[in-house]
């Protein structure tokens, strides 16, 4: 089993630390970095084992047969991880194509 993040997803994670710090969600940049690292670790350790759901049609722009899982990081923030699954040389591959949270995309899950 392998988990791969598209380059644009990695770019988002790189920018997320700055966003969280600049918008005042964290007082210290190190804490924002730790939050992002924890989120990445959670994705890598739980993605294959969580109950996946078919993504709403809105997210089809990220590929066909898109699924998602949720990761709750606080009482108010839930992350949506969008991915496709395929097999490569008898190995299951989870390709993470997009990430967002309920503050940005909750309206698409109705």
């Amino acid at each position: 089993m392998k988990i791969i993040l598209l380059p644009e997803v990695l770019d988002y994670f790189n920018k997320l630390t700055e966003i969280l710090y600049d918008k005042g969600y964290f007082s210290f940049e190190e804490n924002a970095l730790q939050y992002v690292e924890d989120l990445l670790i959670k994705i890598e350790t739980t993605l294959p084992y969580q109950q996946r759901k078919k993504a709403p049609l809105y997210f089809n722009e990220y590929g066909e047969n898109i699924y998602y899982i949720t990761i709750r990081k606080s009482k108010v923030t839930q992350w949506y991880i969008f991915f496709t699954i395929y097999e490569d040389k008898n190995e299951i591959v989870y390709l993470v194509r997009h990430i967002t949270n309920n503050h940005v995309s909750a309206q698409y899950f109705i």
Side-chain angles (χ1 to χ4, degrees):
M1 171 187 57
K2 187 187 319 184
I3 298 173
I4 301 172
L5 283 73
L6 286 179
E8 50 268 30
V9 174
L10 290 172
D11 287 344
Y12 176 76
F13 277 114
N14 289 331
K15 293 174 189 167
L16 184 57
T17 299
E18 291 177 35
I19 293 168
L20 294 171
Y21 177 70
D22 291 345
K23 291 195 174 191
Y25 293 108
F26 292 94
S27 301
F28 299 101
E29 200 166 357
E30 297 81 19
N31 292 358
L33 180 60
Q34 186 63 52
Y35 179 92
V36 172
E37 286 178 1
D38 290 346
L39 183 55
L40 274 166
I41 290 168
K42 188 80 168 175
I43 291 168
E44 291 173 350
T45 58
T46 66
L47 178 62
Y49 309 107
Q50 283 197 28
Q51 179 69 36
R52 66 180 178 257
K53 299 174 187 168
K54 189 79 172 149
L57 292 176
Y58 175 83
F59 297 98
N60 281 354
E61 69 181 275
Y62 300 104
E64 294 179 12
N65 299 317
I66 293 277
Y67 296 96
Y68 76 97
I69 63 163
T70 58
I71 296 175
R72 185 167 294 282
K73 287 294 288 173
S74 71
K75 290 181 181 178
V76 295
T77 303
Q78 179 167 287
W79 290 93
Y80 302 103
I81 314 305
F82 296 90
F83 59 96
T84 53
I85 304 169
Y86 65 93
E87 191 172 317
D88 182 39
K89 299 176 186 166
N90 294 324
E91 181 176 36
I92 296 175
V93 178
Y94 294 82
L95 180 61
V96 178
R97 297 178 164 271
H98 182 63
I99 179 170
T100 187
N101 64 40
N102 59 302
H103 302 290
V104 176
S105 300
Q107 68 272 22
Y108 302 115
F109 291 90
I110 298 173

